[in-house]
């Protein structure tokens, strides 16, 4: 004869539906992500943007790699719409999840550069702090996809905060980063 504990039955009664509800919600979120990607693929950027904003509060229900790809794509949509303050936190999450994805470093570097230009004349301490935040992003880009304009910008930024000596060691700093470059995010 099996005896059931009433408390155990109550716990099971509440846990099972909650688990099933979470699984269904995660599946629903993934289906919305698929719909979002389809809209992007079909060139329906306004519809995709609307779908992305609706999915944003539920993005934690997406698998980790899918969530990172979504954050980057929606961040790019915000950036394209010049909504940099909305793009920034999404890009920061992407770089935290995929630190070798140099494309997001480029985006972050240039968003912060825009903010730094606004502070350059009015807030020297804020400007210096932002430049110190920008340089590592642009150096990651330079390590992974070197181009003259980016290197010139890095040097200009060092000069703007009186760190000319750092210019001479750029190549040594870039060398270890060159083997750790991701240029395409996988969403699964």
């Amino acid at each position: 004869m099996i005896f059931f504990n009433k408390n155990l039955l109550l716990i099971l009664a509440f846990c099972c539906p909650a688990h099933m509800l979470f699984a269904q919600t995660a599946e629903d979120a993934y289906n919305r992500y698929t719909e979002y990607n389809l809209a992007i693929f079909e060139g329906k950027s306004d519809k995709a943007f609307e779908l992305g904003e609706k999915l944003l509060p539920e993005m934690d229900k997406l698998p980790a790699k899918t969530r990172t790809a979504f954050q980057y794509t929606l961040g790019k949509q915000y950036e394209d719409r010049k909504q940099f303050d909305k793009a920034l936190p999404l890009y920061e999450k992407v770089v935290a999840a995929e630190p070798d994805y140099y494309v997001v470093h480029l985006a972050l570097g240039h968003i912060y550069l825009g903010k730094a230009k606004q502070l350059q004349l009015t807030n020297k301490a804020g400007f210096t702090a932002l430049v110190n935040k920008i340089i590592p992003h642009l150096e990651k880009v330079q390590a992974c996809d070197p181009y003259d304009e980016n290197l010139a910008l890095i040097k200009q930024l060092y000069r703007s905060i009186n760190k000319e000596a750092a210019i001479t060691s750029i190549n040594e700093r870039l060398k270890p980063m060159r083997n750790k470059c991701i240029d395409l995010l996988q969403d699964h």
Side-chain angles (χ1 to χ4, degrees), residues 2-4 43 51 59 62 65 73-74 89 108 141 150 183:
I2 300 175
F3 292 97
F4 288 101
L51 291 168
M59 72 179 174
L62 296 171
K65 287 192 174 286
T73 307
L74 186 59
L108 282 168
V141 173
N150 188 52
D183 61 357

Side-chain angles (χ1 to χ4, degrees), residues 6-19:
K6 288 181 185 180
N7 291 335
L8 180 61
L9 282 176
L10 284 173
I11 291 171
L12 287 174
F14 286 107
C15 288
C16 289
H19 176 71

Side-chain angles (χ1 to χ4, degrees), residues 21-92:
L21 178 64
F22 176 78
Q24 182 181 4
T25 305
E27 184 178 332
D28 290 344
Y30 192 82
N31 288 340
R32 283 189 284 284
Y33 171 73
T34 302
E35 185 181 355
Y36 167 75
N37 271 336
L38 182 60
I40 291 171
F41 179 75
E42 292 175 342
K44 299 176 181 175
S45 61
D46 289 339
K47 179 181 178 185
F49 184 69
E50 181 182 319
L51 291 168
E53 284 199 309
K54 287 180 183 176
L55 181 57
L56 189 59
E58 298 178 83
M59 72 179 174
D60 62 317
K61 293 179 177 84
L62 296 171
K65 287 192 174 286
T66 304
R67 182 174 47 249
T68 302
F70 169 71
Q71 290 165 332
Y72 174 74
T73 307
L74 186 59
K76 178 74 171 112
Q77 288 180 304
Y78 280 127
E79 182 183 1
D80 291 346
R81 287 171 169 73
K82 307 220 181 303
Q83 296 179 26
F84 303 114
D85 289 336
K86 289 184 177 182
L88 201 56
L90 293 171
Y91 283 160
E92 288 289 356

